[in-house]
Coordinates of all heavy atoms in Angstrom, one line a residue:
P63 N 141.3 111.2 127.4 CA 141.3 111.1 125.9 C 141.1 109.6 125.5 O 141.6 108.7 126.2 CB 142.7 111.6 125.5 CG 143.1 112.5 126.6 CD 142.5 111.9 127.8
L64 N 140.3 109.4 124.5 CA 140.0 108.0 124.0 C 141.3 107.5 123.3 O 142.0 108.2 122.7 CB 138.8 108.0 123.0 CG 137.5 108.4 123.6 CD1 136.5 108.5 122.5 CD2 137.0 107.4 124.7
P65 N 141.5 106.2 123.5 CA 142.7 105.6 122.8 C 142.5 105.6 121.3 O 141.4 105.5 120.8 CB 142.6 104.1 123.4 CG 141.2 103.9 123.8 CD 140.7 105.2 124.3
Q66 N 143.6 105.7 120.6 CA 143.6 105.7 119.1 C 143.2 104.3 118.6 O 143.5 103.3 119.2 CB 145.0 106.0 118.6 CG 145.4 107.4 118.9 CD 144.6 108.5 118.2 OE1 144.2 108.3 117.0 NE2 144.2 109.5 118.9
V67 N 142.4 104.3 117.5 CA 141.9 103.1 116.9 C 142.4 103.1 115.5 O 142.4 104.1 114.8 CB 140.4 103.0 117.0 CG1 139.9 101.7 116.3 CG2 139.9 103.1 118.4
E68 N 142.8 101.9 115.0 CA 143.3 101.7 113.6 C 142.1 102.2 112.7 O 140.9 101.9 113.0 CB 143.6 100.3 113.4 CG 144.2 100.0 112.0 CD 144.5 98.6 111.8 OE1 144.8 97.9 112.8 OE2 144.5 98.1 110.6
H69 N 142.5 102.9 111.6 CA 141.5 103.5 110.7 C 140.4 102.5 110.2 O 139.2 102.8 110.3 CB 142.2 104.2 109.5 CG 141.3 104.9 108.6 ND1 140.6 106.1 109.0 CD2 140.8 104.6 107.3 CE1 139.8 106.4 107.9 NE2 140.0 105.6 107.0
S70 N 140.9 101.4 109.7 CA 139.9 100.4 109.2 C 139.0 99.9 110.3 O 137.8 99.7 110.0 CB 140.7 99.2 108.6 OG 141.5 98.5 109.5
I71 N 139.5 99.7 111.5 CA 138.7 99.2 112.6 C 137.7 100.3 113.0 O 136.5 100.0 113.3 CB 139.6 98.8 113.8 CG1 140.4 97.6 113.4 CG2 138.7 98.5 115.0 CD1 141.4 97.1 114.5
Y72 N 138.2 101.5 113.0 CA 137.3 102.7 113.3 C 136.2 102.8 112.4 O 135.0 103.0 112.8 CB 138.2 104.0 113.3 CG 137.4 105.2 113.7 CD1 137.1 105.5 115.0 CD2 136.9 106.1 112.7 CE1 136.3 106.7 115.3 CE2 136.2 107.2 113.0 CZ 135.9 107.5 114.3 OH 135.2 108.6 114.6
I73 N 136.4 102.7 111.1 CA 135.4 102.8 110.1 C 134.4 101.7 110.2 O 133.2 101.9 110.2 CB 136.0 102.8 108.6 CG1 136.9 104.0 108.4 CG2 134.9 102.7 107.6 CD1 136.2 105.3 108.5
K74 N 134.9 100.5 110.5 CA 134.0 99.3 110.7 C 133.1 99.5 111.9 O 131.9 99.3 111.9 CB 134.8 98.1 110.9 CG 134.0 96.8 110.9 CD 134.8 95.6 111.4 CE 136.0 95.3 110.5 NZ 136.8 94.1 111.0
G75 N 133.7 100.0 113.0 CA 133.0 100.2 114.3 C 131.9 101.3 114.1 O 130.8 101.1 114.6
V76 N 132.3 102.4 113.4 CA 131.3 103.5 113.2 C 130.1 102.9 112.4 O 129.0 103.2 112.6 CB 131.9 104.7 112.5 CG1 130.9 105.7 112.0 CG2 132.9 105.3 113.5
G77 N 130.4 102.1 111.4 CA 129.4 101.5 110.5 C 128.5 100.6 111.3 O 127.2 100.7 111.2
F78 N 129.0 99.8 112.2 CA 128.2 99.0 113.1 C 127.3 99.8 114.0 O 126.2 99.5 114.2 CB 129.1 98.0 113.9 CG 129.5 96.8 113.2 CD1 130.9 96.4 113.1 CD2 128.6 96.0 112.5 CE1 131.3 95.3 112.5 CE2 129.0 94.8 111.9 CZ 130.4 94.5 111.8
A79 N 127.9 100.9 114.6 CA 127.1 101.7 115.5 C 126.0 102.4 114.8 O 124.9 102.5 115.3 CB 128.1 102.8 116.1
L80 N 126.2 102.9 113.6 CA 125.2 103.5 112.8 C 124.1 102.5 112.4 O 122.9 102.8 112.4 CB 125.7 104.1 111.5 CG 126.5 105.4 111.7 CD1 127.2 105.8 110.4 CD2 125.6 106.6 112.1
L81 N 124.5 101.3 112.1 CA 123.6 100.2 111.8 C 122.7 99.9 113.0 O 121.5 99.7 112.9 CB 124.3 99.0 111.3 CG 123.5 97.7 111.0 CD1 122.5 98.0 109.8 CD2 124.3 96.5 110.6
A82 N 123.3 99.9 114.2 CA 122.6 99.6 115.4 C 121.6 100.6 115.7 O 120.4 100.4 116.0 CB 123.6 99.4 116.6
A83 N 122.0 101.9 115.6 CA 121.1 103.0 115.8 C 119.9 103.0 114.9 O 118.7 103.2 115.2 CB 121.8 104.3 115.8
T84 N 120.2 102.8 113.6 CA 119.1 102.8 112.6 C 118.2 101.6 112.8 O 117.0 101.8 112.7 CB 119.8 102.7 111.2 OG1 120.7 103.8 111.0 CG2 118.7 102.7 110.1
C85 N 118.7 100.4 113.0 CA 117.9 99.2 113.2 C 117.0 99.3 114.4 O 115.8 99.0 114.4 CB 118.7 98.0 113.2 SG 119.4 97.5 111.6
Q86 N 117.6 99.8 115.5 CA 116.8 100.0 116.7 C 115.7 101.0 116.6 O 114.5 100.8 117.0 CB 117.7 100.3 117.9 CG 118.6 99.2 118.3 CD 119.7 99.6 119.2 OE1 119.9 100.7 119.6 NE2 120.6 98.6 119.6
A87 N 116.0 102.1 115.9 CA 115.0 103.1 115.6 C 113.9 102.6 114.7 O 112.7 102.8 114.9 CB 115.6 104.4 115.0
A88 N 114.3 101.8 113.7 CA 113.4 101.3 112.7 C 112.5 100.2 113.4 O 111.3 100.2 113.1 CB 114.1 100.6 111.6
G89 N 113.0 99.5 114.3 CA 112.2 98.5 115.1 C 111.1 99.2 115.9 O 110.0 98.7 115.9
M90 N 111.4 100.3 116.5 CA 110.4 101.0 117.3 C 109.3 101.6 116.4 O 108.1 101.4 116.6 CB 111.1 102.2 118.0 CG 111.9 101.8 119.2 SD 111.0 101.0 120.6 CE 111.3 99.3 120.3
V91 N 109.7 102.1 115.2 CA 108.7 102.7 114.3 C 107.8 101.6 113.7 O 106.6 101.8 113.5 CB 109.4 103.5 113.2 CG1 108.4 104.0 112.2 CG2 110.2 104.7 113.8
M92 N 108.4 100.5 113.3 CA 107.6 99.4 112.8 C 106.7 98.8 113.8 O 105.5 98.4 113.4 CB 108.6 98.3 112.2 CG 109.3 98.7 111.0 SD 110.3 97.4 110.3 CE 110.7 98.0 108.7
S93 N 107.1 98.8 115.0 CA 106.2 98.3 116.1 C 105.0 99.2 116.2 O 103.8 98.8 116.3 CB 106.9 98.2 117.4 OG 107.9 97.3 117.4
K94 N 105.2 100.5 116.1 CA 104.2 101.5 116.1 C 103.3 101.3 114.9 O 102.0 101.5 115.0 CB 104.8 102.9 116.1 CG 103.8 104.1 116.1 CD 103.1 104.2 117.5 CE 102.2 105.4 117.6 NZ 101.6 105.5 118.9
G95 N 103.8 101.0 113.7 CA 103.0 100.8 112.5 C 102.1 99.7 112.7 O 100.9 99.7 112.3
A96 N 102.5 98.6 113.3 CA 101.6 97.4 113.6 C 100.5 97.8 114.5 O 99.3 97.5 114.3 CB 102.4 96.3 114.2
M97 N 100.8 98.6 115.6 CA 99.8 98.9 116.5 C 98.8 100.0 116.0 O 97.7 100.1 116.5 CB 100.5 99.5 117.8 CG 101.2 98.4 118.5 SD 102.0 99.0 120.1 CE 102.8 97.5 120.6
N98 N 99.3 100.8 115.0 CA 98.4 101.7 114.4 C 97.4 101.0 113.5 O 96.3 101.5 113.2 CB 99.2 102.7 113.5 CG 99.8 103.8 114.4 OD1 99.6 103.9 115.6 ND2 100.7 104.6 113.8
A99 N 97.8 99.9 112.9 CA 96.9 99.2 111.9 C 95.7 98.5 112.6 O 94.7 98.5 112.0 CB 97.8 98.1 111.2
E100 N 95.9 98.1 113.8 CA 94.8 97.4 114.5 C 95.1 97.4 116.0 O 96.2 97.7 116.5 CB 94.6 96.0 114.0 CG 95.8 95.1 114.2 CD 95.6 93.7 113.8 OE1 94.5 93.1 114.1 OE2 96.5 93.1 113.0
Q101 N 94.1 97.0 116.8 CA 94.2 96.9 118.2 C 95.0 95.6 118.6 O 94.5 94.5 118.3 CB 92.8 96.9 118.9 CG 92.9 96.9 120.4 CD 93.4 98.2 120.9 OE1 93.3 99.3 120.3 NE2 94.0 98.2 122.1
I102 N 96.2 95.8 119.1 CA 97.0 94.6 119.5 C 97.5 94.8 120.9 O 97.8 95.9 121.4 CB 98.3 94.6 118.6 CG1 97.9 94.5 117.1 CG2 99.2 93.4 119.0 CD1 99.1 94.6 116.2
G103 N 97.4 93.7 121.7 CA 97.9 93.8 123.1 C 99.4 94.0 123.1 O 100.2 93.5 122.3
S104 N 99.9 94.9 124.0 CA 101.3 95.3 124.0 C 102.2 94.0 124.3 O 103.3 93.9 123.8 CB 101.5 96.3 125.1 OG 100.8 97.5 124.8

């Protein structure tokens, strides 16, 4: 079982994790957008 985390710290951590997942996904999609626009070396 995972150790208990203080509620405020838990909310903050979940927020950071969601931000990380969203930003990393957005970074991949934006890279694709640039490569779709023109021929760019990887």
Side-chain angles (χ1 to χ4, degrees):
L64 294 173
Q66 293 294 319
V67 178
E68 186 181 332
H69 182 70
S70 60
I71 294 176
Y72 179 79
I73 295 299
K74 186 193 302 183
V76 169
F78 279 129
L80 286 172
L81 178 62
T84 303
C85 286
Q86 288 165 3
M90 289 292 99
V91 174
M92 288 183 169
S93 298
K94 182 70 171 181
M97 294 182 181
N98 282 349
E100 60 177 313
Q101 186 66 29
I102 304 172
S104 299

